[in-house]
Amino acid sequence: TPSTVPAPRAASASTRKVQRWTATPEWLSPSERIRAGGISRESSRDAWLTARLAAKRLVATRLADAAIDAARPILSEIEIVSRDPSGHGVRPRAVVAGRDSRMTVSISHSGSRVLVAVGPAAGSLGVDLTPVYAIEMPASRWWLTDAEREDAGSLDAAAAAAHAAGVWSVKEAVYKARLSDEPFRPRAIEARLRQGRITACVAAGRRVTPSAIRTCWLDNHALALVHDGEPVIRAAG
């Protein structure tokens, strides 16, 4: 069962638990079938397929809502392209029936859950999903800034880990949205998170408007979405 994620008005996002796939699904495009067949690790393949399905459904919904297509295309006609012709990873985008949909896609997954978002290609978009249990507080010292550590204040161990997971998820999402053409340097992104809300964010010396960032926690995961294609008016599903 998918769960909606609060998102800026111009972007749509959803999260769902990774499901088990015993056969190659029919809704894959021909090139996606080849890609899926090359993923040898079962858990990685399950997460990849679950994320692709969630992304395709978001794209189909946005096409219908925008009256671009009177009928929703079948899912096999929607392809999430995340590699260039040379096989190198690129920012994901949606292609519909061989044509550019002018939609950008961002995907993140942990071992048990995926998070996907779709938005206009003209805007920057990034998501991240971080399990709280994956955060080791001693190791976080190398990627938390002094101000980010101060924001944790006197939190107990469990609350501090949740806070750090929230900060890390924002850093990853901001990186994907704003700095993906550069090496990832966690301390170059500072996210001020207080009581679960972003109060300030700076990426490589450039300010990121807090209203362009959404955060929430679900099933012991920190989720973050960044989209600044247009001013945020209200949260949407």
Side-chain angles (χ1 to χ4, degrees):
T1 302
S3 300
T4 57
V5 176
R9 187 163 60 103
S12 303
S14 70
T15 180
R16 64 179 61 224
K17 291 183 178 180
V18 172
Q19 66 185 88
R20 177 76 179 92
W21 299 90
T22 57
T24 301
E26 296 181 354
W27 46 260
L28 290 175
S29 70
S31 60
E32 287 173 333
R33 285 176 175 272
I34 295 173
R35 177 84 184 275
I39 304 175
S40 58
R41 187 175 180 183
E42 188 176 275
S43 59
S44 297
R45 184 173 180 273
D46 289 343
W48 190 89
L49 288 170
T50 302
R52 280 303 190 276
L53 177 59
K56 285 170 179 265
R57 285 177 171 168
L58 280 181
V59 170
T61 298
R62 291 177 70 88
L63 287 172
D65 289 347
I68 294 175
D69 198 344
R72 295 187 184 184
I74 60 175
L75 295 183
S76 62
E77 293 181 342
I78 299 174
E79 182 174 352
I80 308 303
V81 179
S82 57
R83 293 181 181 272
D84 64 17
S86 300
H88 298 112
V90 296
R91 183 187 296 274
R93 59 188 177 88
V95 172
V96 181
R99 299 190 300 272
D100 188 354
S101 69
R102 293 177 293 180
M103 295 185 203
T104 186
V105 181
S106 188
I107 298 173
S108 180
H109 48 76
S110 67
S112 61
R113 181 170 287 278
V114 302
L115 171 63
V116 300
V118 175
S124 58
L125 177 68
V127 297
D128 186 68
L129 175 69
T130 301
V132 175
Y133 57 76
I135 297 296
E136 297 182 5
M137 291 310 296
S140 71
R141 293 184 178 276
W142 73 268
W143 55 262
L144 283 173
T145 67
D146 292 341
E148 288 167 343
R149 284 195 293 271
E150 289 176 4
D151 288 340
S154 57
L155 297 176
D156 61 32
H163 174 88
V167 171
W168 179 265
S169 67
V170 171
K171 287 175 183 276
E172 287 270 15
V174 168
Y175 171 75
K176 292 177 182 178
R178 292 289 192 91
L179 303 170
S180 59
D181 292 333
E182 305 175 13
F184 180 44
R185 294 178 292 121
R187 289 177 64 88
I189 303 170
E190 184 170 81
R192 306 300 300 275
L193 182 66
R194 295 178 181 175
Q195 296 181 341
R197 295 177 61 87
I198 294 294
T199 60
C201 184
V202 176
R206 299 189 295 272
R207 181 174 177 268
V208 180
T209 305
S211 61
I213 305 171
R214 289 288 184 271
T215 60
C216 64
W217 278 259
L218 179 66
D219 291 344
N220 210 30
H221 286 71
L223 290 73
L225 183 150
V226 177
H227 186 275
D228 56 2
E230 65 179 38
V232 176
I233 295 177
R234 68 179 187 278

